[in-house]
Amino acid sequence: MAKVNVTVKILRFNPDVDEQPHWQTYEVKDIEETAQVLDVLHRIKWYQDGTLTLRSSCAHGVCGSDAMVINGHNRLACKTLVRDVMPTITVEPIRGLPVIKDLVVDMEPFFSHYKAVEPWFINPDPPPTRERLQSPEDRARFDDTTKCILCAACTTSCPSFWANGQYVGPAAIVQAHRWIFDSRDKGTAERLQILNDRFGVWACRTAFNCVEACPREIDITKAIGEVKKALTFGTVDF
Ligand code: SF4
Ligand code: F3S
Ligand code: FES
């Protein structure tokens, strides 16, 4: 397996000592070109500079905890290979959320928008004795939006969200879509009303950054368009 040397420039910020973020450069030698950028960051943290702070967990694109800006694009560090971004790799925290330290941002504003769309099953009917059946066609309507891992790569790439953090953001709309178009759920009108707001779905200006950023390749603008259509026509049956 080919090994390479890379230069890694990381935007660092420690609120205890820094007034402004600053770039710090590290040289990482003899790393497999098929290694993940997450491996590179761990190599720096474990062998060069233990003060570097980042968040990660699964290392396999499932938990959504290591979204960051890599060479100018929102990416998961664990799904970005060295060979695709070498020889100089720039790494910054995702934008639009407060930086706690280095690559770790405060996700609370993101998750409060998520909670605002009531992303859980709503159906006051008594539960059936067996499962709630659904046709394959009805299940397919929200299949794409079930893939979201809440990594925030979309919302933090969105100019509307940068301009005003009150915008609920594409991730929350994707999560709302997953329930709005689920034939078993009865919270559709409630969720549509929540999104029918100038900081709801109408704040989307179809910038498409979110689609480019999504590591799960969710067609986010299609989902947002379907929510807008449901609001415009007053029905999800189209
Ligand atoms: Fe991440 Fe995609 Fe979900 Fe946005 S829609 S939070 S980019 S997985
Ligand atoms: Fe933002 Fe995506 Fe809309 S980037 S403006 S949510 S299309
Ligand atoms: Fe879990 Fe990257 S560490 S998605």
Side-chain angles (χ1 to χ4, degrees):
M1 202 174 295
K3 296 208 172 177
V4 292
N5 300 335
V6 291
T7 301
V8 188
K9 296 183 177 174
I10 303 176
L11 193 62
R12 309 262 338 245
F13 178 68
N14 178 352
D16 291 339
V17 292
D18 297 328
E19 297 214 340
Q20 293 292 328
H22 62 278
W23 290 97
Q24 191 158 347
T25 302
Y26 301 88
E27 303 296 334
V28 178
K29 300 190 185 306
D30 289 328
I31 187 132
E32 291 81 18
E33 62 176 9
T34 53
Q36 307 163 347
V37 170
L38 183 61
D39 296 324
V40 175
L41 295 172
H42 280 154
R43 181 90 83 86
I44 294 168
K45 181 172 177 63
W46 295 337
Y47 300 106
Q48 293 189 36
D49 184 350
T51 68
L52 178 64
T53 305
L54 64 141
R55 193 187 270 135
S56 71
S57 181
C58 71
H60 286 88
V62 178
C63 72
S65 63
D66 63 341
M68 46 191 82
V69 184
I70 300 173
N71 287 6
H73 299 277
N74 279 20
R75 298 278 180 263
L76 296 180
C78 68
K79 283 196 74 179
T80 306
L81 302 187
V82 167
R83 70 177 175 208
D84 295 327
V85 288
M86 55 186 245
T88 300
I89 306 171
T90 62
V91 186
E92 304 163 64
I94 45 178
R95 299 173 180 136
L97 293 169
V99 176
I100 295 174
K101 186 167 183 279
D102 296 336
L103 302 172
V104 175
V105 299
D106 181 1
M107 294 289 283
E108 185 47 40
F110 174 80
F111 282 113
S112 78
H113 285 320
Y114 168 56
K115 279 182 259 173
V117 301
E118 304 183 346
W120 49 77
F121 185 60
I122 298 173
N123 189 329
D125 296 345
T129 48
R130 297 192 59 187
E131 67 270 33
R132 295 175 198 268
L133 292 176
Q134 186 171 51
S135 71
E137 293 75 26
D138 283 346
R139 175 63 178 75
R141 289 205 75 188
F142 61 95
D143 189 60
D144 198 32
T145 45
T146 62
K147 295 187 295 187
C148 176
I149 56 171
L150 289 168
C151 68
C154 55
T155 297
T156 60
S157 72
C158 171
S160 292
F161 181 72
W162 295 336
N164 194 325
Q166 292 182 75
Y167 170 36
V168 71
I173 301 171
V174 161
Q175 290 287 335
H177 178 284
R178 181 257 170 271
W179 294 106
I180 287 168
F181 291 90
D182 187 333
S183 59
R184 300 163 297 187
D185 186 271
K186 298 275 174 75
T188 293
E190 203 170 307
R191 289 194 196 89
L192 285 175
Q193 195 174 346
I194 292 165
L195 290 172
N196 192 17
D197 185 270
R198 71 191 177 102
F199 295 122
V201 78
W202 305 115
C204 169
R205 300 282 187 261
T206 326
F208 278 95
N209 290 16
C210 52
V211 177
E212 199 269 335
C214 181
R216 304 289 294 179
E217 296 178 359
I218 296 169
D219 194 341
I220 300 174
T221 43
K222 178 168 180 249
I224 294 173
E226 287 182 351
V227 173
K228 286 179 175 173
K229 201 167 166 184
L231 278 165
T232 304
F233 294 108
T235 175
V236 293
D237 297 324
F238 49 78

